[in-house]
Amino acid sequence: MSQAKTDYYSEEKTFSAPSANTQQGNQLPSKVYNKGLKDLEDNDIEGLLSKLSIDELEDLNNDFDPDNSMLPPSQRCRDQTDKEPTGPYKRDNLLKFLEEKAKTEKDWDDVCPYTPGVKRGKVYDSDSGRNSEEPEVGKMEMPIEIDLDDDEEELECALVSAPEKDLVDLAGILGMHNVLNQPQYYNALKGKTQDETTGTTFNGIIQSYVPRIVPDEPDNDTDVESCINRLREDDTDLKEVNINNMKRLSKERIRTLIEAACNSKHIEKFSLANTAISDSEARGLIELIETSPSLRVLNVESNFLTPELLAKLLRSTLVTQSIVEFKADNQRQSVLGNQIEMDMMMAIEENESLLRVGISFASMEARHRVSEALERNYERVRLRRLGKDTNA
């Protein structure tokens, strides 16, 4: 069974094939060439290919697109290996044949023959947009030509004796823009001379900012033993205890210091920032806040306190309502949680003495309501001061 080539590729030629998307009994004709191939199943295509002759398959194979990357390389072009071999493969003979063939073939004719030292064609100048054969009016040609041998002493002597103005041009040509200002650098690239407006020395470069040397903060030299004894004796002169950054202080001494602070009725500021305390040492601060009517500032920043304990510390400030500043930011657990934040927020809203709270809230509602509560407390302080001034 054979068909003419023109009959096979005719667009009017159709085949009846069952559709993969339809049920049996509803078979619709679809074109095999160029259209309808997605609706055919593999068995249908194999059945159609089995009915083609060898010549028709050969023509179908030659019709593949060689640039189609979806096909394997073996199927992108027709099979051209049907020629009988002339003999066994010999690599040396093949290379010799290729070399002799290359020598006998005539080279391509050049429009302009090659001549050593002569540029062929026109050279385009990117700066002026014109050919280099036509120099720009009023522009100086590149004046610097250095012809030195490999002798380092001769090169060093030439650079030492050169004026600083020429060295500025040389630095710009070599691309050393970090030692020149912008006008000097671009004048050197364009072949323009350096003038007084741009500067002819290297002193025109903007000096970098030299940071001011700040001495290190001295170590905390607080005498913890003396503070413990004075707190136990309720010394009226001891109003502030600061053990910030004392990480080497033992946890037992910190517990003892907090217990001693509970006996003092005159302490106003207690700072334990960056002392590596955890919940087990900081639980004594709850009793300190609830029992000390003089405490105004508490700082426990940069430690390892949990959000639950922070919420208890804020809740304990409602007992005496004497705390003015509470700092507890930068703990190990950065996320407090929505329930903990709401508990802290309500504790701050109920407190009428807090003016500054150092806690990072993730919830927008908590930040907004805490800010409003602190503003109300500031307003109470202002009205109380105005009332005292009026009475006075």
Side-chain angles (χ1 to χ4, degrees), residues 349-365:
E349 287 180 339
E350 296 175 12
N351 196 314
E352 298 182 358
S353 63
L354 278 176
L355 300 178
R356 289 177 292 276
V357 177
I359 299 177
S360 298
F361 294 99
S363 173
M364 181 65 70
E365 180 185 1

Side-chain angles (χ1 to χ4, degrees), residues 111-317:
V111 178
C112 182
Y114 171 74
T115 304
V118 178
K119 294 183 179 180
R120 296 183 292 178
K122 296 181 180 180
V123 180
Y124 179 76
D125 188 1
S126 59
D127 293 336
S128 60
R130 308 182 338 160
N131 298 328
S132 61
E133 298 176 356
E134 302 174 359
E136 185 179 351
V137 179
K139 183 176 180 181
M140 181 185 67
E141 299 180 357
M142 294 302 294
I144 300 178
E145 293 184 2
I146 300 179
D147 186 10
L148 297 175
D149 297 333
D150 296 336
D151 191 0
E152 296 182 359
E153 295 182 0
E154 184 179 359
L155 178 60
E156 184 177 356
C157 293
L159 294 177
V160 170
S161 59
E164 190 172 4
K165 180 179 179 181
D166 294 342
L167 294 178
V168 170
D169 289 333
L170 182 60
I173 294 172
L174 296 178
M176 303 172 64
H177 57 83
N178 55 339
V179 297
L180 305 174
N181 55 33
Q182 286 189 354
Q184 289 176 343
Y185 178 68
Y186 287 110
N187 284 350
L189 290 182
K190 296 178 181 180
K192 297 181 179 179
T193 57
Q194 307 293 343
D195 50 18
E196 297 299 332
T197 58
T198 61
T200 58
T201 64
F202 293 101
N203 297 329
I205 183 174
I206 300 176
Q207 300 295 331
S208 61
Y209 169 73
V210 179
R212 183 170 59 89
I213 300 176
V214 180
D216 296 335
E217 185 178 353
D219 296 334
N220 194 339
D221 55 353
T222 302
D223 189 355
V224 180
E225 295 298 331
S226 175
C227 291
I228 293 175
N229 295 331
R230 295 176 64 183
L231 288 173
R232 286 175 176 173
E233 296 173 0
D234 194 11
D235 189 352
T236 57
D237 296 333
L238 183 60
K239 298 183 179 181
E240 179 179 355
V241 176
N242 187 341
I243 59 171
N244 293 344
N245 304 318
M246 299 181 67
K247 294 184 178 180
R248 296 184 179 180
L249 189 63
S250 65
K251 310 303 180 185
E252 186 63 30
R253 302 311 299 164
I254 294 178
R255 290 195 194 94
T256 306
L257 180 64
I258 295 175
E259 292 176 359
C262 295
N263 299 326
S264 175
K265 304 300 181 183
H266 301 87
I267 185 172
E268 296 180 358
K269 185 176 181 180
F270 199 40
S271 299
L272 299 91
N274 196 23
T275 53
I277 61 174
S278 59
D279 290 1
S280 59
E281 297 84 29
R283 285 193 182 94
L285 294 174
I286 299 177
E287 181 182 358
L288 173 63
I289 296 173
E290 292 178 349
T291 58
S292 176
S294 61
L295 187 62
R296 297 291 183 270
V297 179
L298 179 64
N299 186 357
V300 290
E301 291 181 340
S302 304
N303 287 301
F304 306 126
L305 306 183
T306 60
E308 289 78 7
L309 182 62
L310 295 179
K312 292 180 181 178
L313 291 176
L314 271 177
R315 181 62 61 177
S316 63
T317 60

Side-chain angles (χ1 to χ4, degrees), residues 80-88:
Q80 300 177 354
T81 59
D82 54 353
K83 183 179 178 181
E84 294 294 333
T86 57

Side-chain angles (χ1 to χ4, degrees), residues 336-354:
L336 301 176
N338 186 62
Q339 185 175 0
I340 298 296
E341 288 188 0
M342 293 298 107
D343 190 10
M344 291 182 176
M345 177 195 67
M346 290 186 291
I348 296 172
E349 287 180 339
E350 296 175 12
N351 196 314
E352 298 182 358
S353 63
L354 278 176

Side-chain angles (χ1 to χ4, degrees), residues 23-145:
Q23 300 177 356
Q24 275 187 338
N26 295 330
Q27 298 180 357
L28 297 175
S30 61
K31 291 187 177 182
V32 175
Y33 179 71
N34 194 24
K35 291 184 179 180
L37 293 178
K38 295 182 180 180
D39 295 334
L40 296 179
E41 296 180 352
D42 294 339
N43 296 333
D44 303 330
I45 297 177
E46 292 178 0
L48 295 173
L49 293 177
S50 62
K51 298 179 181 179
L52 300 178
S53 63
I54 297 177
D55 297 336
E56 292 171 344
L57 290 175
E58 184 68 20
D59 294 338
L60 182 61
N61 187 33
N62 294 337
D63 191 53
F64 286 144
D65 184 8
D67 297 330
N68 188 2
S69 60
M70 302 301 294
L71 294 177
S74 59
Q75 298 182 8
R76 294 183 190 175
C77 59
R78 60 182 180 178
D79 187 9
Q80 300 177 354
T81 59
D82 54 353
K83 183 179 178 181
E84 294 294 333
T86 57
Y89 171 71
K90 294 182 180 180
R91 183 175 181 276
D92 297 337
N93 295 342
L94 178 60
L95 293 177
K96 185 178 180 181
F97 169 75
L98 294 177
E99 291 177 359
E100 293 177 353
K101 185 177 181 181
K103 292 178 181 179
T104 56
E105 289 184 353
K106 184 181 178 181
D107 294 336
W108 292 347
D109 295 333
D110 294 334
V111 178
C112 182
Y114 171 74
T115 304
V118 178
K119 294 183 179 180
R120 296 183 292 178
K122 296 181 180 180
V123 180
Y124 179 76
D125 188 1
S126 59
D127 293 336
S128 60
R130 308 182 338 160
N131 298 328
S132 61
E133 298 176 356
E134 302 174 359
E136 185 179 351
V137 179
K139 183 176 180 181
M140 181 185 67
E141 299 180 357
M142 294 302 294
I144 300 178
E145 293 184 2

